[in-house]
Amino acid sequence: MVDLVGQYEEIKGQVGEAMQNVLETAAFINGPEVHAFQKELEAYLGVKHVIPCANGTDALQICMMGLGLKPGDEVITADFTFAATVEVIALLQLTPVLVDVEPDTFNIDPKAIEKAITPKTKAIVPVHLFGQCANMDAIMELAERHDLFVIEDNAQGIGANHTFKNGSKAKSGTIGHVASTSFFPSKNLGCYGDGGAIFTNDDDLAHTIRGMVNHGMYKRYHHDVVGVNSRLDSLQAVVLRAKLPRLDAYNNKRRAAARKYSHAFQGHPDIVLPKTVNGCEGICETCDCHVFHQYTLRILKEKRDSLVQHLNENNVPCGVYYPIPLHRQKAYVDERYNEADFPVTNQLVKEVISLPMHTELDDEQIAYITKLVIEFLNR
């Protein structure tokens, strides 16, 4: 699904030299590389504060801690996403409220959010799934009207642009009150282990979170807030500093691969192409709203599972993200949920398939993959 070895070839000299410097100076925690990466990512995103941390799940949890959410507060998020999003809500003894998603973009449905808001609702967590922003115009309007926090789960969307109704643009993760991201190796901006970060334009919130990621300390052995141990180490920052200046180029390569996939599949009666928020199906050459962390199709006529088997038999990796809705996961089953409220998610889990998507994909590989898919579906 990804080719991290191929990607490494381009940066191994820079990474090796910088890692050697870290080893020789032994500045492993909160060293100069981490601080430099923080400043460089702030500049790239156009956000006032980046707080690096140990992983994306920690980042999302710390966002909620920093906002002062209390046990029993309701937090609305998407049913169709990875479990980490709801996991941290449950760990903090908040009340997760899962809602349905849109059938074209796979992102959280603002109409479903509005329907789920109660007097106990305190926050909305839109997940920028597969590499593009949720409908942040509608979500921010809802949040303002109901006095709610918006916490962007940007684990899959770094580098994507959101165009507002007025024509202005912002990077994903810089629109809500606070955002989290992951630097897991397979992400568009990935390190060589675990890593994550929190973004915000709120000075006071940033100050609170900076203490929280370091045991609640602003001054050594003075614990002013309840915190956790969640820090990005210097060796991971080295990798991220090497990759960050290349992120736009990486994302453009993903977009180019997505266009080739979509051109090959366009018009096939058994395939629903991934649509961007502006409806271009990943084919438009000027589209900057989607960074294609995953290239995800819907396969109709109950052919998805047999297609997965066929691809695996022909040594083509693929993924089903996600096979079970969160509201049906054993850990998160709740009598509050009604199956009738999740028609889109319940359909998507039967149909979605993600094909290989990374910066090293070449025309020969894409041609082989698309030929396999089309020939199988045409049987």
Side-chain angles (χ1 to χ4, degrees), residues 33-274:
E33 292 287 347
V34 176
H35 296 300
F37 171 66
Q38 171 194 324
K39 295 297 182 184
E40 290 159 4
L41 187 54
E42 286 170 348
Y44 173 82
L45 294 171
V47 70
K48 289 177 72 174
H49 304 285
V50 167
I51 302 102
C53 63
N55 58 71
T57 307
D58 278 4
L60 191 55
Q61 178 176 322
I62 294 162
C63 287
M64 296 179 191
M65 292 170 62
L67 291 171
L69 300 182
K70 305 296 184 185
D73 287 347
E74 292 181 355
V75 179
I76 298 172
T77 194
D79 188 38
F80 186 64
T81 185
F82 183 60
T85 309
V86 70
E87 179 178 67
V88 297
I89 299 172
L91 282 170
L92 293 173
Q93 297 182 35
L94 309 172
T95 301
V97 178
L98 300 171
V99 301
D100 211 1
V101 297
E102 298 173 328
D104 47 1
T105 67
F106 310 132
N107 277 323
I108 193 167
D109 185 343
K111 293 178 182 176
I113 295 173
E114 186 165 26
K115 184 179 175 183
I117 293 172
T118 75
K120 293 183 179 180
T121 305
K122 300 299 179 185
I124 305 167
V125 183
V127 181
H128 301 324
L129 199 70
F130 299 153
Q132 67 176 329
C133 282
N135 185 343
M136 293 303 292
D137 287 274
I139 291 168
M140 295 307 293
E141 287 171 8
L142 278 172
E144 185 174 354
R145 194 185 327 147
H146 295 276
D147 193 24
L148 305 175
F149 294 118
V150 174
I151 306 164
E152 296 177 73
D153 183 338
N154 196 39
Q156 299 184 16
I158 195 163
N161 289 298
H162 177 73
T163 302
F164 294 96
K165 286 189 273 188
N166 65 9
S168 64
K169 290 190 177 187
K171 290 290 186 187
S172 61
T174 68
I175 303 164
H177 297 90
V178 66
S180 64
T181 200
S182 167
F183 301 128
F184 188 78
S186 64
K187 303 299 186 188
N188 295 38
L189 179 62
C191 55
Y192 292 163
D194 275 318
I198 298 152
F199 317 144
T200 186
N201 286 304
D202 185 319
D203 296 340
D204 292 336
L205 180 58
H207 175 73
T208 299
I209 288 173
R210 281 202 180 92
M212 283 183 167
V213 300
N214 190 30
H215 298 289
M217 291 190 294
Y218 303 97
K219 181 179 178 182
R220 191 167 178 81
Y221 300 127
H222 291 251
H223 304 274
D224 295 350
V225 295
V226 176
V228 295
N229 177 20
S230 186
R231 297 170 298 212
L232 181 71
D233 73 68
S234 297
L235 292 174
Q236 302 306 334
V238 162
V239 178
L240 294 167
R241 290 193 71 198
K243 287 187 176 185
L244 180 58
R246 297 171 168 85
L247 178 58
D248 287 342
Y250 289 163
N251 287 339
N252 284 335
K253 287 181 179 180
R254 288 171 176 267
R255 292 184 183 114
R259 285 195 296 272
K260 291 168 185 174
Y261 274 138
S262 291
H263 278 300
F265 294 135
Q266 194 173 28
H268 196 286
D270 298 341
I271 298 174
V272 178
L273 297 177

Side-chain angles (χ1 to χ4, degrees), residues 274-336:
K275 288 188 173 61
T276 62
V277 290
N278 58 18
C280 78
E281 297 182 326
I283 294 174
C284 175
E285 299 214 7
T286 60
C287 177
D288 64 357
C289 63
H290 207 314
V291 295
F292 290 97
H293 174 63
Q294 302 291 351
Y295 180 84
T296 303
L297 301 168
R298 292 172 58 192
I299 304 298
L300 307 180
K301 302 176 185 175
E302 299 183 351
K303 295 181 178 181
R304 194 273 309 275
D305 291 345
S306 52
L307 175 59
V308 169
Q309 182 179 348
H310 178 69
L311 291 175
N312 288 335
E313 288 171 352
N314 285 273
N315 299 314
V316 173
C318 59
V320 174
Y321 311 115
Y322 298 91
I324 305 171
L326 290 178
H327 77 272
R328 290 190 200 157
Q329 295 283 359
K330 185 177 179 181
Y332 306 111
V333 167
D334 195 299
E335 62 183 11
R336 293 175 295 128

